[in-house]
Amino acid sequence: MQSTRLNKLLAFLTSEPNDPFILYALATEYNSLNDTQQAFHYYLKLVEEHPSYVGTYYHLGKLYQKQGDPEKAIAIYQLGMKRAREKGDGHAFAELQGAYNMAAGLDYEDD
């Protein structure tokens, strides 16, 4: 059974098929429902069709990590940092850099 929220989002998608916020909300909802195939579908659609929607990169990278693919996660974080820098979004850049550092094993502390 699909969630009510998912049904509403799918209805919104019918009327606004290219709205990046709806695509992002769908990806996030599918991710929360553990439907990784659909989550990947919508996150990757965002990366391809709306590359400046920088929130995508963090969550897509985390999904790659959850699926045991740290190399793809690192590449997505790097691409997201580039897009955030181009957009002048320092907050998104910092979040992506933190996720990148952890995924790349650079999250060490000085003794």
mmCIF file with all atom_site columns, all heavy atoms in Angstrom, residues 36-52:
data_model
loop_
_atom_site.group_PDB
_atom_site.id
_atom_site.type_symbol
_atom_site.label_atom_id
_atom_site.label_alt_id
_atom_site.label_comp_id
_atom_site.label_asym_id
_atom_site.label_entity_id
_atom_site.label_seq_id
_atom_site.pdbx_PDB_ins_code
_atom_site.Cartn_x
_atom_site.Cartn_y
_atom_site.Cartn_z
_atom_site.occupancy
_atom_site.B_iso_or_equiv
_atom_site.pdbx_formal_charge
_atom_site.auth_seq_id
_atom_site.auth_comp_id
_atom_site.auth_asym_id
_atom_site.auth_atom_id
_atom_site.pdbx_PDB_model_num
ATOM 1   N N   . THR A 1 36 ? 14.610 1.801  -2.864  1.00 0.00 ? 36 THR A N   1
ATOM 2   C CA  . THR A 1 36 ? 15.832 2.422  -3.369  1.00 0.00 ? 36 THR A CA  1
ATOM 3   C C   . THR A 1 36 ? 15.839 2.573  -4.881  1.00 0.00 ? 36 THR A C   1
ATOM 4   O O   . THR A 1 36 ? 16.393 3.536  -5.398  1.00 0.00 ? 36 THR A O   1
ATOM 5   C CB  . THR A 1 36 ? 17.078 1.646  -2.912  1.00 0.00 ? 36 THR A CB  1
ATOM 6   O OG1 . THR A 1 36 ? 16.966 0.291  -3.303  1.00 0.00 ? 36 THR A OG1 1
ATOM 7   C CG2 . THR A 1 36 ? 17.253 1.720  -1.413  1.00 0.00 ? 36 THR A CG2 1
ATOM 8   N N   . GLN A 1 37 ? 15.216 1.660  -5.588  1.00 0.00 ? 37 GLN A N   1
ATOM 9   C CA  . GLN A 1 37 ? 15.187 1.764  -7.045  1.00 0.00 ? 37 GLN A CA  1
ATOM 10  C C   . GLN A 1 37 ? 14.493 3.052  -7.478  1.00 0.00 ? 37 GLN A C   1
ATOM 11  O O   . GLN A 1 37 ? 15.002 3.786  -8.328  1.00 0.00 ? 37 GLN A O   1
ATOM 12  C CB  . GLN A 1 37 ? 14.492 0.546  -7.649  1.00 0.00 ? 37 GLN A CB  1
ATOM 13  C CG  . GLN A 1 37 ? 14.484 0.567  -9.167  1.00 0.00 ? 37 GLN A CG  1
ATOM 14  C CD  . GLN A 1 37 ? 13.831 -0.672 -9.770  1.00 0.00 ? 37 GLN A CD  1
ATOM 15  O OE1 . GLN A 1 37 ? 13.395 -1.572 -9.068  1.00 0.00 ? 37 GLN A OE1 1
ATOM 16  N NE2 . GLN A 1 37 ? 13.760 -0.709 -11.077 1.00 0.00 ? 37 GLN A NE2 1
ATOM 17  N N   . GLN A 1 38 ? 13.343 3.328  -6.907  1.00 0.00 ? 38 GLN A N   1
ATOM 18  C CA  . GLN A 1 38 ? 12.622 4.555  -7.265  1.00 0.00 ? 38 GLN A CA  1
ATOM 19  C C   . GLN A 1 38 ? 13.336 5.794  -6.725  1.00 0.00 ? 38 GLN A C   1
ATOM 20  O O   . GLN A 1 38 ? 13.363 6.834  -7.381  1.00 0.00 ? 38 GLN A O   1
ATOM 21  C CB  . GLN A 1 38 ? 11.180 4.503  -6.752  1.00 0.00 ? 38 GLN A CB  1
ATOM 22  C CG  . GLN A 1 38 ? 10.296 3.568  -7.531  1.00 0.00 ? 38 GLN A CG  1
ATOM 23  C CD  . GLN A 1 38 ? 10.069 4.022  -8.971  1.00 0.00 ? 38 GLN A CD  1
ATOM 24  O OE1 . GLN A 1 38 ? 10.488 5.081  -9.420  1.00 0.00 ? 38 GLN A OE1 1
ATOM 25  N NE2 . GLN A 1 38 ? 9.397  3.191  -9.728  1.00 0.00 ? 38 GLN A NE2 1
ATOM 26  N N   . ALA A 1 39 ? 13.921 5.692  -5.538  1.00 0.00 ? 39 ALA A N   1
ATOM 27  C CA  . ALA A 1 39 ? 14.673 6.824  -4.984  1.00 0.00 ? 39 ALA A CA  1
ATOM 28  C C   . ALA A 1 39 ? 15.827 7.179  -5.922  1.00 0.00 ? 39 ALA A C   1
ATOM 29  O O   . ALA A 1 39 ? 16.008 8.352  -6.274  1.00 0.00 ? 39 ALA A O   1
ATOM 30  C CB  . ALA A 1 39 ? 15.184 6.495  -3.591  1.00 0.00 ? 39 ALA A CB  1
ATOM 31  N N   . PHE A 1 40 ? 16.594 6.174  -6.343  1.00 0.00 ? 40 PHE A N   1
ATOM 32  C CA  . PHE A 1 40 ? 17.676 6.421  -7.297  1.00 0.00 ? 40 PHE A CA  1
ATOM 33  C C   . PHE A 1 40 ? 17.136 7.044  -8.576  1.00 0.00 ? 40 PHE A C   1
ATOM 34  O O   . PHE A 1 40 ? 17.734 7.977  -9.116  1.00 0.00 ? 40 PHE A O   1
ATOM 35  C CB  . PHE A 1 40 ? 18.435 5.131  -7.633  1.00 0.00 ? 40 PHE A CB  1
ATOM 36  C CG  . PHE A 1 40 ? 19.545 4.801  -6.687  1.00 0.00 ? 40 PHE A CG  1
ATOM 37  C CD1 . PHE A 1 40 ? 19.546 3.598  -5.993  1.00 0.00 ? 40 PHE A CD1 1
ATOM 38  C CD2 . PHE A 1 40 ? 20.611 5.667  -6.488  1.00 0.00 ? 40 PHE A CD2 1
ATOM 39  C CE1 . PHE A 1 40 ? 20.571 3.267  -5.127  1.00 0.00 ? 40 PHE A CE1 1
ATOM 40  C CE2 . PHE A 1 40 ? 21.649 5.349  -5.622  1.00 0.00 ? 40 PHE A CE2 1
ATOM 41  C CZ  . PHE A 1 40 ? 21.627 4.149  -4.944  1.00 0.00 ? 40 PHE A CZ  1
ATOM 42  N N   . HIS A 1 41 ? 16.025 6.526  -9.086  1.00 0.00 ? 41 HIS A N   1
ATOM 43  C CA  . HIS A 1 41 ? 15.447 7.043  -10.331 1.00 0.00 ? 41 HIS A CA  1
ATOM 44  C C   . HIS A 1 41 ? 15.228 8.552  -10.246 1.00 0.00 ? 41 HIS A C   1
ATOM 45  O O   . HIS A 1 41 ? 15.643 9.303  -11.130 1.00 0.00 ? 41 HIS A O   1
ATOM 46  C CB  . HIS A 1 41 ? 14.130 6.324  -10.639 1.00 0.00 ? 41 HIS A CB  1
ATOM 47  C CG  . HIS A 1 41 ? 13.356 6.963  -11.744 1.00 0.00 ? 41 HIS A CG  1
ATOM 48  N ND1 . HIS A 1 41 ? 13.692 6.813  -13.071 1.00 0.00 ? 41 HIS A ND1 1
ATOM 49  C CD2 . HIS A 1 41 ? 12.263 7.778  -11.715 1.00 0.00 ? 41 HIS A CD2 1
ATOM 50  C CE1 . HIS A 1 41 ? 12.841 7.506  -13.817 1.00 0.00 ? 41 HIS A CE1 1
ATOM 51  N NE2 . HIS A 1 41 ? 11.969 8.099  -13.010 1.00 0.00 ? 41 HIS A NE2 1
ATOM 52  N N   . TYR A 1 42 ? 14.576 8.988  -9.176  1.00 0.00 ? 42 TYR A N   1
ATOM 53  C CA  . TYR A 1 42 ? 14.256 10.414 -9.076  1.00 0.00 ? 42 TYR A CA  1
ATOM 54  C C   . TYR A 1 42 ? 15.476 11.266 -8.721  1.00 0.00 ? 42 TYR A C   1
ATOM 55  O O   . TYR A 1 42 ? 15.627 12.372 -9.249  1.00 0.00 ? 42 TYR A O   1
ATOM 56  C CB  . TYR A 1 42 ? 13.099 10.641 -8.100  1.00 0.00 ? 42 TYR A CB  1
ATOM 57  C CG  . TYR A 1 42 ? 11.783 10.210 -8.710  1.00 0.00 ? 42 TYR A CG  1
ATOM 58  C CD1 . TYR A 1 42 ? 11.165 9.039  -8.321  1.00 0.00 ? 42 TYR A CD1 1
ATOM 59  C CD2 . TYR A 1 42 ? 11.186 10.972 -9.711  1.00 0.00 ? 42 TYR A CD2 1
ATOM 60  C CE1 . TYR A 1 42 ? 9.962  8.635  -8.908  1.00 0.00 ? 42 TYR A CE1 1
ATOM 61  C CE2 . TYR A 1 42 ? 9.996  10.577 -10.298 1.00 0.00 ? 42 TYR A CE2 1
ATOM 62  C CZ  . TYR A 1 42 ? 9.385  9.410  -9.888  1.00 0.00 ? 42 TYR A CZ  1
ATOM 63  O OH  . TYR A 1 42 ? 8.204  9.022  -10.490 1.00 0.00 ? 42 TYR A OH  1
ATOM 64  N N   . TYR A 1 43 ? 16.356 10.774 -7.873  1.00 0.00 ? 43 TYR A N   1
ATOM 65  C CA  . TYR A 1 43 ? 17.572 11.537 -7.581  1.00 0.00 ? 43 TYR A CA  1
ATOM 66  C C   . TYR A 1 43 ? 18.423 11.704 -8.846  1.00 0.00 ? 43 TYR A C   1
ATOM 67  O O   . TYR A 1 43 ? 18.929 12.786 -9.128  1.00 0.00 ? 43 TYR A O   1
ATOM 68  C CB  . TYR A 1 43 ? 18.406 10.874 -6.486  1.00 0.00 ? 43 TYR A CB  1
ATOM 69  C CG  . TYR A 1 43 ? 17.886 11.061 -5.079  1.00 0.00 ? 43 TYR A CG  1
ATOM 70  C CD1 . TYR A 1 43 ? 17.856 9.991  -4.197  1.00 0.00 ? 43 TYR A CD1 1
ATOM 71  C CD2 . TYR A 1 43 ? 17.452 12.298 -4.612  1.00 0.00 ? 43 TYR A CD2 1
ATOM 72  C CE1 . TYR A 1 43 ? 17.408 10.143 -2.889  1.00 0.00 ? 43 TYR A CE1 1
ATOM 73  C CE2 . TYR A 1 43 ? 16.993 12.459 -3.316  1.00 0.00 ? 43 TYR A CE2 1
ATOM 74  C CZ  . TYR A 1 43 ? 16.969 11.380 -2.456  1.00 0.00 ? 43 TYR A CZ  1
ATOM 75  O OH  . TYR A 1 43 ? 16.533 11.531 -1.166  1.00 0.00 ? 43 TYR A OH  1
ATOM 76  N N   . LEU A 1 44 ? 18.582 10.629 -9.607  1.00 0.00 ? 44 LEU A N   1
ATOM 77  C CA  . LEU A 1 44 ? 19.399 10.708 -10.824 1.00 0.00 ? 44 LEU A CA  1
ATOM 78  C C   . LEU A 1 44 ? 18.742 11.586 -11.886 1.00 0.00 ? 44 LEU A C   1
ATOM 79  O O   . LEU A 1 44 ? 19.431 12.284 -12.636 1.00 0.00 ? 44 LEU A O   1
ATOM 80  C CB  . LEU A 1 44 ? 19.689 9.306  -11.356 1.00 0.00 ? 44 LEU A CB  1
ATOM 81  C CG  . LEU A 1 44 ? 20.613 8.485  -10.454 1.00 0.00 ? 44 LEU A CG  1
ATOM 82  C CD1 . LEU A 1 44 ? 20.666 7.024  -10.919 1.00 0.00 ? 44 LEU A CD1 1
ATOM 83  C CD2 . LEU A 1 44 ? 22.007 9.087  -10.394 1.00 0.00 ? 44 LEU A CD2 1
ATOM 84  N N   . LYS A 1 45 ? 17.420 11.571 -11.937 1.00 0.00 ? 45 LYS A N   1
ATOM 85  C CA  . LYS A 1 45 ? 16.687 12.465 -12.852 1.00 0.00 ? 45 LYS A CA  1
ATOM 86  C C   . LYS A 1 45 ? 16.973 13.922 -12.490 1.00 0.00 ? 45 LYS A C   1
ATOM 87  O O   . LYS A 1 45 ? 17.190 14.765 -13.364 1.00 0.00 ? 45 LYS A O   1
ATOM 88  C CB  . LYS A 1 45 ? 15.193 12.150 -12.779 1.00 0.00 ? 45 LYS A CB  1
ATOM 89  C CG  . LYS A 1 45 ? 14.316 12.951 -13.725 1.00 0.00 ? 45 LYS A CG  1
ATOM 90  C CD  . LYS A 1 45 ? 12.870 12.453 -13.614 1.00 0.00 ? 45 LYS A CD  1
ATOM 91  C CE  . LYS A 1 45 ? 11.910 13.222 -14.476 1.00 0.00 ? 45 LYS A CE  1
ATOM 92  N NZ  . LYS A 1 45 ? 12.038 12.937 -15.896 1.00 0.00 ? 45 LYS A NZ  1
ATOM 93  N N   . LEU A 1 46 ? 16.998 14.204 -11.196 1.00 0.00 ? 46 LEU A N   1
ATOM 94  C CA  . LEU A 1 46 ? 17.311 15.561 -10.747 1.00 0.00 ? 46 LEU A CA  1
ATOM 95  C C   . LEU A 1 46 ? 18.730 15.959 -11.147 1.00 0.00 ? 46 LEU A C   1
ATOM 96  O O   . LEU A 1 46 ? 18.958 17.071 -11.623 1.00 0.00 ? 46 LEU A O   1
ATOM 97  C CB  . LEU A 1 46 ? 17.149 15.671 -9.231  1.00 0.00 ? 46 LEU A CB  1
ATOM 98  C CG  . LEU A 1 46 ? 15.732 15.887 -8.743  1.00 0.00 ? 46 LEU A CG  1
ATOM 99  C CD1 . LEU A 1 46 ? 15.610 15.527 -7.269  1.00 0.00 ? 46 LEU A CD1 1
ATOM 100 C CD2 . LEU A 1 46 ? 15.299 17.324 -8.979  1.00 0.00 ? 46 LEU A CD2 1
ATOM 101 N N   . VAL A 1 47 ? 19.691 15.077 -10.923 1.00 0.00 ? 47 VAL A N   1
ATOM 102 C CA  . VAL A 1 47 ? 21.083 15.381 -11.269 1.00 0.00 ? 47 VAL A CA  1
ATOM 103 C C   . VAL A 1 47 ? 21.198 15.676 -12.764 1.00 0.00 ? 47 VAL A C   1
ATOM 104 O O   . VAL A 1 47 ? 21.889 16.607 -13.170 1.00 0.00 ? 47 VAL A O   1
ATOM 105 C CB  . VAL A 1 47 ? 22.020 14.226 -10.848 1.00 0.00 ? 47 VAL A CB  1
ATOM 106 C CG1 . VAL A 1 47 ? 23.410 14.394 -11.455 1.00 0.00 ? 47 VAL A CG1 1
ATOM 107 C CG2 . VAL A 1 47 ? 22.109 14.138 -9.335  1.00 0.00 ? 47 VAL A CG2 1
ATOM 108 N N   . GLU A 1 48 ? 20.499 14.899 -13.563 1.00 0.00 ? 48 GLU A N   1
ATOM 109 C CA  . GLU A 1 48 ? 20.574 15.065 -15.017 1.00 0.00 ? 48 GLU A CA  1
ATOM 110 C C   . GLU A 1 48 ? 19.811 16.293 -15.503 1.00 0.00 ? 48 GLU A C   1
ATOM 111 O O   . GLU A 1 48 ? 20.324 17.071 -16.304 1.00 0.00 ? 48 GLU A O   1
ATOM 112 C CB  . GLU A 1 48 ? 20.025 13.813 -15.709 1.00 0.00 ? 48 GLU A CB  1
ATOM 113 C CG  . GLU A 1 48 ? 20.145 13.859 -17.217 1.00 0.00 ? 48 GLU A CG  1
ATOM 114 C CD  . GLU A 1 48 ? 19.632 12.589 -17.863 1.00 0.00 ? 48 GLU A CD  1
ATOM 115 O OE1 . GLU A 1 48 ? 20.001 11.492 -17.399 1.00 0.00 ? 48 GLU A OE1 1
ATOM 116 O OE2 . GLU A 1 48 ? 18.859 12.710 -18.832 1.00 0.00 ? 48 GLU A OE2 1
ATOM 117 N N   . GLU A 1 49 ? 18.600 16.480 -15.022 1.00 0.00 ? 49 GLU A N   1
ATOM 118 C CA  . GLU A 1 49 ? 17.724 17.527 -15.562 1.00 0.00 ? 49 GLU A CA  1
ATOM 119 C C   . GLU A 1 49 ? 17.737 18.831 -14.775 1.00 0.00 ? 49 GLU A C   1
ATOM 120 O O   . GLU A 1 49 ? 17.363 19.878 -15.300 1.00 0.00 ? 49 GLU A O   1
ATOM 121 C CB  . GLU A 1 49 ? 16.292 16.996 -15.658 1.00 0.00 ? 49 GLU A CB  1
ATOM 122 C CG  . GLU A 1 49 ? 16.171 15.835 -16.627 1.00 0.00 ? 49 GLU A CG  1
ATOM 123 C CD  . GLU A 1 49 ? 14.772 15.246 -16.684 1.00 0.00 ? 49 GLU A CD  1
ATOM 124 O OE1 . GLU A 1 49 ? 13.822 15.842 -16.125 1.00 0.00 ? 49 GLU A OE1 1
ATOM 125 O OE2 . GLU A 1 49 ? 14.629 14.162 -17.300 1.00 0.00 ? 49 GLU A OE2 1
ATOM 126 N N   . HIS A 1 50 ? 18.151 18.775 -13.509 1.00 0.00 ? 50 HIS A N   1
ATOM 127 C CA  . HIS A 1 50 ? 18.175 19.963 -12.649 1.00 0.00 ? 50 HIS A CA  1
ATOM 128 C C   . HIS A 1 50 ? 19.469 19.967 -11.835 1.00 0.00 ? 50 HIS A C   1
ATOM 129 O O   . HIS A 1 50 ? 19.440 19.857 -10.610 1.00 0.00 ? 50 HIS A O   1
ATOM 130 C CB  . HIS A 1 50 ? 16.958 19.977 -11.712 1.00 0.00 ? 50 HIS A CB  1
ATOM 131 C CG  . HIS A 1 50 ? 15.655 19.924 -12.432 1.00 0.00 ? 50 HIS A CG  1
ATOM 132 N ND1 . HIS A 1 50 ? 15.078 21.036 -13.013 1.00 0.00 ? 50 HIS A ND1 1
ATOM 133 C CD2 . HIS A 1 50 ? 14.817 18.882 -12.693 1.00 0.00 ? 50 HIS A CD2 1
ATOM 134 C CE1 . HIS A 1 50 ? 13.940 20.688 -13.583 1.00 0.00 ? 50 HIS A CE1 1
ATOM 135 N NE2 . HIS A 1 50 ? 13.764 19.385 -13.411 1.00 0.00 ? 50 HIS A NE2 1
ATOM 136 N N   . PRO A 1 51 ? 20.612 20.085 -12.503 1.00 0.00 ? 51 PRO A N   1
ATOM 137 C CA  . PRO A 1 51 ? 21.897 19.946 -11.810 1.00 0.00 ? 51 PRO A CA  1
ATOM 138 C C   . PRO A 1 51 ? 22.144 21.007 -10.740 1.00 0.00 ? 51 PRO A C   1
ATOM 139 O O   . PRO A 1 51 ? 22.954 20.788 -9.841  1.00 0.00 ? 51 PRO A O   1
ATOM 140 C CB  . PRO A 1 51 ? 22.925 20.038 -12.933 1.00 0.00 ? 51 PRO A CB  1
ATOM 141 C CG  . PRO A 1 51 ? 22.218 20.715 -14.056 1.00 0.00 ? 51 PRO A CG  1
ATOM 142 C CD  . PRO A 1 51 ? 20.774 20.342 -13.929 1.00 0.00 ? 51 PRO A CD  1
ATOM 143 N N   . SER A 1 52 ? 21.455 22.128 -10.782 1.00 0.00 ? 52 SER A N   1
ATOM 144 C CA  . SER A 1 52 ? 21.671 23.163 -9.767  1.00 0.00 ? 52 SER A CA  1
ATOM 145 C C   . SER A 1 52 ? 20.800 22.960 -8.528  1.00 0.00 ? 52 SER A C   1
ATOM 146 O O   . SER A 1 52 ? 20.889 23.739 -7.578  1.00 0.00 ? 52 SER A O   1
ATOM 147 C CB  . SER A 1 52 ? 21.422 24.551 -10.361 1.00 0.00 ? 52 SER A CB  1
ATOM 148 O OG  . SER A 1 52 ? 20.066 24.703 -10.730 1.00 0.00 ? 52 SER A OG  1
#
